[in-house]
Amino acid sequence: MKNTLGIIIGFDSNNDLRELSEHRPVASVPFGGRYRVIDFMLSNLVNSGCYQVGVLMRDKYQSLMDHLGSGKDWDLSRKRGGLMMLPPNAFAPKSSPLVTENYHTSLEALGSVSDMLQKSKCEHVVVCGADIIANIPLDEAMREHKKSEADVTIVCTKNGDGGAFDMFLNLSPRHEVSDIRNGDNAGGKCKYKSLGIYIMKRKYLLDLLSDCVTHNLHSFERDAMQHVFNRGDAIQAYVFDKYVAKIEDVKSYFSASMDMLDKDIRDQVFLKSRPILTKIHDSAPTYYGEDAVVSDSLIADGSRIEGTVENSIVFRGCKIAKGAVVKDSIIMQSGIISEGVELSYVVTDKGVTVRENRKMMGHATYPVAIAKNTIV
């Protein structure tokens, strides 16, 4: 993986996070009390030995840049390689046929950095999304890719469930891709779902981008992979059989967050040998009042808990007042929950204040989401 370039698509194409993505892309949405969603894919690359990583951005990327900084928290602050922030059309000239004025799709975004790809000396490229919660051994996937001598290796999971924007696969006994379906897996015809992680040679990617332009294709995940399959290129799959969640909407975000309360799942995601890295904050330990009741919850440091917290996730610097009851909810950084408040299946973004005696209730299938810095 030392001779591999990682490219993370750090903007939203098909995600529907409603209030949680008003001011940020899904890549920088807070997760699990102290992380951001992009931390997981970035850590997967670094833990696999990939130290040249570019993050493609499109809009609302200030929070993403603030979080990643120079990349030092991921050991990516280096003289050679390291972390590269790639805002819209950072490299390619406007005259390039691969560039649109304001790109909308992942294929157009990759085309905008074609000049960087041309100059890179890396042999292989890993193209991946930033919306995956998992601890994936990409070095193992790379070994399987080289062993198979395939043109493309797609990292997938054995799960036929998904939405209209997912890509489904059928595999031969040797894990060769025998069918690709986009968005429609009625009846479970395909047993595997792509995780949006693709491994290929750098030169192959450049040729593919050029070929996609001549065929007027727009989406890398859907159009490009279907085009590669139809023209008969060798496509292999690496099946990841541990826990994985894809953040596509508020429901999937809430579900994945609540999964972190399960120790068995946490043990699959947060491995000591492959740690999930994030931006370091120095905070005092959380204060628990005499009347505080906390059960089955994740509580980050720097908070003040004086009420009741059950089956919930509380981020850094939050205040849960005496008499407040927070159940099955997510309180992001610097949230203030006042006296007499009752919350159930609620997600409050950063800096939300819920005033005295408010009662809010959602459902596991449709959690209530409150936008950043809102006063309720």
Side-chain angles (χ1 to χ4, degrees), residues 152-292:
V152 181
T153 291
I154 302 175
V155 180
C156 63
T157 183
K158 192 174 183 179
N159 182 356
D161 299 329
F165 299 105
D166 288 314
M167 185 170 76
F168 304 95
L169 311 171
N170 262 340
L171 307 181
S172 72
R174 298 178 60 183
H175 286 179
E176 298 164 339
V177 176
S178 58
D179 190 20
I180 293 179
R181 300 174 67 92
N182 286 304
D184 179 16
N185 195 31
K189 295 178 181 178
C190 293
K191 304 299 182 183
Y192 299 85
K193 182 172 72 172
S194 168
L195 295 179
I197 303 172
Y198 309 92
I199 303 173
M200 66 198 77
K201 288 189 175 181
R202 178 181 57 85
K203 292 182 179 179
Y204 179 88
L205 175 59
L206 283 167
D207 292 339
L208 177 59
L209 291 174
S210 180
D211 197 26
C212 287
V213 168
T214 61
H215 286 85
N216 196 31
L217 303 180
H218 300 285
S219 171
F220 185 81
E221 296 89 346
R222 296 166 64 89
D223 298 341
M225 289 300 105
Q226 190 72 58
H227 177 65
V228 166
F229 177 75
N230 290 339
R231 73 185 187 184
D233 290 6
I235 307 177
Q236 195 77 9
Y238 173 81
V239 180
F240 180 67
D241 58 1
K242 302 295 184 181
Y243 175 85
V244 62
K246 195 174 177 68
I247 307 301
E248 298 177 314
D249 50 30
V250 176
K251 177 185 174 182
S252 61
Y253 170 79
F254 182 83
S255 177
S257 297
M258 292 296 106
D259 285 344
M260 296 302 108
L261 299 177
D262 187 325
K263 184 180 183 301
D264 291 337
I265 292 178
R266 287 202 309 273
D267 288 345
Q268 293 182 52
V269 176
F270 300 99
L271 303 174
K272 291 183 178 180
S273 59
R274 304 174 62 89
I276 302 300
L277 307 170
T278 189
K279 184 178 180 180
I280 295 174
H281 293 266
D282 295 322
S283 302
T286 290
Y287 169 82
Y288 296 91
E290 293 182 358
D291 298 318

Side-chain angles (χ1 to χ4, degrees), residues 294-329:
V294 178
S295 61
D296 194 24
S297 300
L298 292 177
I299 311 293
D301 51 1
S303 294
R304 186 179 183 90
I305 311 297
E306 297 184 88
T308 299
V309 181
E310 297 180 11
N311 198 49
S312 298
I313 297 175
V314 178
F315 283 69
R316 295 183 176 99
C318 294
K319 296 180 180 179
I320 312 295
K322 186 176 181 180
V325 178
V326 177
K327 295 183 178 180
D328 302 298
S329 297

Side-chain angles (χ1 to χ4, degrees), residues 72-104:
K72 67 177 182 179
D73 294 303
W74 297 266
D75 195 19
L76 289 174
S77 180
R78 295 166 173 256
K79 289 183 177 180
R80 294 181 178 86
L83 182 67
M84 296 171 284
M85 307 297 285
L86 306 173
N89 300 332
F91 287 90
K94 291 184 178 180
S95 58
S96 170
L98 294 171
V99 176
T100 57
E101 189 66 28
N102 287 304
Y103 54 70
H104 300 284

